[in-house]
């Protein structure tokens, strides 16, 4: 595949053939594609903050924020706007170029809380960061409001294949998720959508999920690959730890079939060594989530200093965000005018 050629007509058989390549051959092919489309020395540092925690009415089997499960996660009301902006400033100082705000809602409602989220989006956007939200299902009109406020990306993961979906969630459908992604697209917001491995799914389910993403009219600009974070009190608490080589295989396959997308090494890093994460970067991952609280939403995650040390060891550097690049170009143009 040469740079400039994106395919949206992949078949399941083609993706299966790629996915089942001998591992080192798969990594080599993915690394080659990665270098054709991206700077292999850069990793985008993204910070994810839970702005409203717990009490969610959904029954996602992996999620400790579901109200029906007995976990140790404390319910937290929507944070004050000023508090969120301060977290964003610290994230930017720590090297993050994207700031994502997550609320444990089933869906967005047109109320004061949503008005406050709009203010948060405006505030973070003014810092020159890529602003991302994950708030559950939303309508096209709500997506337009977010876009007008300066939202750069919206995260709405598929989680797993359409076939396996009902085994994990019963309170919303797979089509509900696709509908929200379509509403995000219509509003002109970039899409962040991926899934979780280690839910008990088959390799065929993983391939099917990638097929859904890779055959969308436009590939998601961001594709998070998560390893199940086993939260005590949830139905999946006793699942086995996800094998790192399976994460590498998923990342490499995603990189090959969606070459222009950011492939995000997301949940599960806390159980991976520096060596294991290095293999993920070799396979085409070029983004991680980091944070001052050393959590990813409500599960443990490496801290900023630990991540910066890892990047230094691997010879990698934080990527600049779109807003930073635009400002830099403007300053250069202004200086030469």
């Amino acid at each position: 595949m040469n740079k400039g050629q994106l395919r949206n007509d992949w078949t399941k058989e083609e993706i299966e053939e790629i996915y089942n390549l001998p591992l080192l051959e798969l990594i080599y092919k993915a690394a080659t594609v990665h270098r054709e489309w991206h700077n292999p020395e850069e990793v985008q540092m993204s910070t994810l903050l839970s702005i409203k925690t717990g009490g969610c009415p959904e029954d996602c089997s992996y999620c400790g924020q579901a109200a029906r499960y007995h976990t140790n996660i404390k319910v937290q009301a929507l944070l004050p706007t000023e508090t969120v902006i301060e977290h964003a400033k610290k994230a930017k100082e720590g090297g993050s170029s994207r700031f994502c705000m997550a609320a444990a809602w089933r869906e967005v409602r047109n109320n004061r809380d949503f008005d406050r989220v709009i203010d948060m989006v405006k505030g973070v956007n003014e810092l020159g960061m890529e602003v991302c939200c994950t708030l559950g299902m939303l309508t096209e009109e709500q997506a337009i409001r977010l876009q007008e406020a300066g939202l750069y990306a919206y995260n709405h993961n598929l989680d797993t294949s359409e076939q396996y979906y009902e085994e994990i969630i019963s309170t919303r459908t797979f089509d509900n998720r696709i509908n929200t992604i379509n509403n995000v697209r219509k509003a002109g917001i970039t899409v962040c959508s991926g899934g979780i491995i280690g839910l008990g799914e088959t390799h065929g389910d993983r391939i099917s999920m990638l097929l859904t993403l890779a055959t969308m009219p436009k590939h998601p600009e961001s594709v998070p690959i998560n390893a199940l974070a086993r939260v005590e009190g949830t139905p999946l608490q006793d699942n086995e730890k996800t094998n790192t080589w399976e994460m590498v295989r998923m990342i490499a396959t995603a990189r090959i079939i969606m070459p222009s997308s950011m492939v995000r090494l997301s949940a599960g890093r806390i159980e991976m060594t520096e060596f294991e994460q290095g293999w993920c970067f070799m396979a085409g991952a070029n983004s991680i989530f980091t944070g001052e609280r050393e959590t990813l939403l409500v599960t443990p995650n490496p801290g900023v200093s630990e991540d910066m040390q890892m990047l230094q060891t691997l010879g990698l550097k934080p990527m600049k965000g779109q807003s930073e690049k635009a400002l830099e170009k403007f300053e250069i143009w202004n200086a030469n005018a």
Side-chain angles (χ1 to χ4, degrees):
M1 179 182 290
N2 297 318
K3 186 169 181 180
Q5 295 180 332
L6 290 174
R7 286 186 54 190
N8 304 82
D9 61 348
W10 292 97
T11 66
K12 187 172 183 178
E13 291 73 24
E14 287 176 315
I15 297 176
E16 186 174 20
E17 184 177 351
I18 294 169
Y19 181 90
N20 287 322
L21 283 170
L23 186 60
L24 292 183
E25 178 68 13
L26 174 61
I27 293 171
Y28 172 75
K29 288 182 181 295
T32 302
V33 171
H34 185 59
R35 281 155 175 73
E36 291 173 351
W37 287 80
H38 303 272
N39 182 344
E41 297 179 359
E42 292 184 340
V43 173
Q44 185 177 45
M45 307 285 280
S46 303
T47 296
L48 177 61
L49 176 68
S50 179
I51 59 173
K52 186 271 178 184
T53 306
C56 181
E58 301 273 28
D59 69 350
C60 306
S61 300
Y62 54 81
C63 185
Q65 299 196 66
R68 66 192 67 203
Y69 305 138
H70 300 290
T71 67
N72 294 322
I73 294 166
K74 296 180 180 179
V75 175
Q76 170 194 280
L78 189 67
L79 292 174
T81 302
E82 298 76 15
T83 301
V84 173
I85 301 304
E86 284 303 311
H87 279 291
K89 289 178 180 177
K90 289 181 181 179
K92 184 175 181 179
E93 291 169 1
S96 289
S97 59
R98 176 179 287 215
F99 189 76
C100 188
M101 297 174 283
W105 292 333
R106 168 180 163 76
E107 59 196 347
V108 174
R109 298 183 185 278
N110 295 314
N111 55 22
R112 290 182 181 179
D113 281 350
F114 186 42
D115 293 340
R116 287 169 60 191
V117 171
I118 293 294
D119 289 337
M120 294 174 192
V121 171
K122 291 177 180 178
V124 177
N125 187 50
E126 289 172 1
L127 297 177
M129 302 182 78
E130 294 179 7
V131 196
C132 178
C133 279
T134 178
L135 313 169
M137 295 182 288
L138 80 168
T139 65
E140 184 179 350
E141 291 72 25
Q142 290 164 339
I144 290 171
R145 280 195 67 192
L146 288 165
Q147 189 276 333
E148 290 175 344
L151 190 72
Y152 180 81
Y154 195 84
N155 167 260
H156 205 63
N157 289 332
L158 298 180
D159 287 346
T160 189
S161 70
E162 183 174 7
Q163 296 76 20
Y164 192 63
Y165 187 85
E166 290 182 359
E167 299 295 321
I168 302 300
I169 304 161
S170 69
T171 48
R172 79 169 86 168
T173 67
F174 192 83
D175 285 343
N176 288 150
R177 291 188 180 269
I178 297 296
N179 186 54
T180 290
I181 292 171
N182 290 339
N183 289 337
V184 169
R185 275 279 177 236
K186 291 174 186 175
I189 300 169
T190 65
V191 171
C192 177
S193 187
I196 308 169
I197 67 172
L199 302 174
E201 77 287 347
T202 65
H203 290 288
D205 288 315
R206 297 173 187 177
I207 292 165
S208 292
M209 183 190 73
L210 291 174
L211 176 66
T212 299
L213 295 169
T215 55
M216 288 179 174
K218 186 176 183 181
H219 295 161
E221 285 80 359
S222 300
V223 180
I225 304 296
N226 299 274
L228 173 67
R230 297 159 293 170
V231 179
E232 187 175 351
T234 63
L236 302 184
Q237 67 175 12
D238 295 324
N239 279 30
E240 293 183 3
K241 176 185 177 294
T242 303
N243 184 289
T244 298
W245 293 121
E246 294 185 11
M247 283 287 286
V248 169
R249 189 173 289 279
M250 278 291 287
I251 288 167
T253 305
R255 169 54 64 219
I256 292 170
I257 64 177
M258 293 175 281
S260 67
S261 302
M262 300 291 294
V263 177
R264 303 187 182 278
L265 175 57
S266 301
R269 286 200 303 122
I270 194 68
E271 295 191 88
M272 298 172 70
T273 66
E274 197 172 85
F275 297 101
E276 290 172 317
Q277 292 180 70
W279 276 105
C280 291
F281 295 130
M282 178 64 73
N286 58 346
S287 177
I288 56 174
F289 284 100
T290 191
E292 59 181 285
R293 291 180 168 181
E294 299 189 358
T295 58
L296 188 62
L297 291 183
V298 294
T299 57
N301 193 65
V304 177
S305 59
E306 189 177 345
D307 283 334
M308 294 303 287
Q309 179 60 53
M310 176 182 66
L311 295 187
Q312 184 177 1
T313 300
L314 297 175
L316 302 172
K317 58 187 177 183
M319 181 186 299
K320 292 182 178 180
Q322 297 299 321
S323 298
E324 288 179 291
K325 290 177 182 177
L327 179 60
E328 192 174 77
K329 287 181 180 179
F330 174 77
E331 288 175 344
I332 293 172
W333 176 85
N334 198 40
N336 295 331

